[in-house]
């Protein structure tokens, strides 16, 4: 019913030359395969054109990791969603925990960014997830609910077509520690219920909710095979073509 999405978040890695080489390697490994889902790589801004020249669908798409909250003007250092679209991006990651933490980004900013992403005809991947101390205090569901409530109802238009969610427990990002299948399924099912309450049952039924946090070839099939997990947002393992394709293989196996 929901096509999986396996998305690579390259973070601050891979300039244009290395990025194009990695995208080419991934495309070659997937060549001729009819996939049951979607594959996306999100390089740094300056690498997007080089990667988009290689990854324009069939099956690898190109995305961005961030965007401005304005569409043009005197905003030094910023890049608008419309520019990203022109450069070949089809998705934009918004709300990653690293941006919440290091750039102090807030719900209000996420709303402005996602609205512009949608206006530019791009899809948003909205990330959320609790920190370790919040989980330990039994607050995981409350935190996740507040993060979704702080953004989704404020959007001008959000539906299962233009918006993807990515649950990323902060304690699992880059740590080698993954959520157990039970932990992931619990929060994903809970998130879907929150989306149903905020945007309606139909949207919740079709909206893809990715899992992120130390996803790798060895655990991808089990995680992505969970009833409410519709793919993965991949950091470290997205930087090696064989590992990234190994995760796609897991998603394929999970899709039956
Ligand atoms: P990781 O990162 O796969 O390296 O844990 C995931 C992410 O930050 O999106």
């Amino acid at each position: 019913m929901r096509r999986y999405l396996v998305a690579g978040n390259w973070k601050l890695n891979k300039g244009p030359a290395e990025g194009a080489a990695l995208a080419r390697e991934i495309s070659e490994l997937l060549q001729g395969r009819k996939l049951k889902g979607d594959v996306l790589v999100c390089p740094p801004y300056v690498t997007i054109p080089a990667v988009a020249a290689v990854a324009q669908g069939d099956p690898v798409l190109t995305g961005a990791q961030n965007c401005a909250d304005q569409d043009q003007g005197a905003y030094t250092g910023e890049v608008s969603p419309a520019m990203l679209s022109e450069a070949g991006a089809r998705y934009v990651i918004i709300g990653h925990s690293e941006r919440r933490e290091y750039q102090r980004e807030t719900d209000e900013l996420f709303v402005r960014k996602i609205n512009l992403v949608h206006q530019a005809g791009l899809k948003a991947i909205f990330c959320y997830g609790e920190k370790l101390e919040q989980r330990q205090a039994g607050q995981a569901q409350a935190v996740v609910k507040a993060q979704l409530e702080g953004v989704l109802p404020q959007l001008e238009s959000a539906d299962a077509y233009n918006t993807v969610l990515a649950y990323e427990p902060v304690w699992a990002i880059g740590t080698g520690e993954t959520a157990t299948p039970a932990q992931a399924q619990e929060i994903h099912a809970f998130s879907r219920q929150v989306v149903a309450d905020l945007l309606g049952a139909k949207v919740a039924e079709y909206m893809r909710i990715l899992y992120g946090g130390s996803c790798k070839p060895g655990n991808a099939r089990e995680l992505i095979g969970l009833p409410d997990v519709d793919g993965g947002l991949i950091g470290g393992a997205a930087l090696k073509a064989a590992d990234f394709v190994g995760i796609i293989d897991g998603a394929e196996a999970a899709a039956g």
Side-chain angles (χ1 to χ4, degrees), residues 7 9 11 93 96-98 127 168 172-177 212-216 233-238:
N9 174 9
K11 307 191 180 182
I93 297 170
H96 192 280
S97 68
E98 286 151 17
C127 307
E168 299 202 301
I173 296 177
T175 58
E177 195 178 330
S214 300
C215 193
K216 31 188 184 270
L233 183 55
I234 320 300

Side-chain angles (χ1 to χ4, degrees), residues 176-190:
E177 195 178 330
T178 11
T180 64
Q183 287 170 329
Q185 174 55 27
E186 181 212 326
I187 299 291
H188 278 245
F190 175 74

Side-chain angles (χ1 to χ4, degrees), residues 226-246:
L226 295 166
D228 285 291
V229 177
D230 309 310
L233 183 55
I234 320 300
L239 297 173
K240 287 210 178 85
D243 286 351
F244 190 58
V245 171

Side-chain angles (χ1 to χ4, degrees), residues 30-171:
L30 295 173
Q31 192 133 47
R33 291 181 56 178
K34 188 95 192 89
L35 298 181
K36 299 182 190 103
D38 301 317
V39 177
L40 174 73
V41 293
C42 300
Y45 286 148
V46 294
T47 304
I48 288 173
V51 166
V54 181
Q56 270 306 348
D58 264 346
V60 186
L61 287 162
T62 304
Q65 302 169 20
N66 179 37
C67 66
D69 67 327
Q70 303 288 338
D71 59 3
Q72 63 173 347
Y75 301 99
T76 302
E78 296 294 329
V79 177
S80 73
M83 292 171 185
L84 293 171
S85 171
E86 188 180 341
R90 294 293 166 262
Y91 287 79
V92 185
I93 297 170
I94 302 289
H96 192 280
S97 68
E98 286 151 17
R99 296 204 64 84
R100 293 175 187 261
E101 178 81 12
Y102 306 136
Q103 269 74 32
R104 302 260 168 258
E105 293 197 355
T106 59
D107 289 354
E108 214 178 293
L109 192 72
F110 302 146
V111 169
R112 286 207 299 278
K113 289 185 177 192
I114 296 172
N115 281 336
L116 288 172
V117 165
H118 289 160
Q119 284 164 24
L122 303 178
K123 300 178 205 291
I125 301 176
F126 177 61
C127 307
Y128 63 101
E130 82 287 356
K131 295 180 184 175
L132 182 60
E133 58 272 24
Q134 294 167 328
R135 173 162 287 271
Q136 286 169 338
Q139 296 166 347
Q141 289 198 358
V143 168
V144 156
K145 185 163 187 266
Q147 288 172 325
L148 294 173
E149 284 179 347
V151 171
L152 295 183
Q154 279 69 255
L155 297 172
E156 283 160 13
S157 75
D159 56 39
Y161 177 77
N162 67 15
T163 306
V164 175
L165 299 180
Y167 169 60
E168 299 202 301
V170 178
W171 46 272

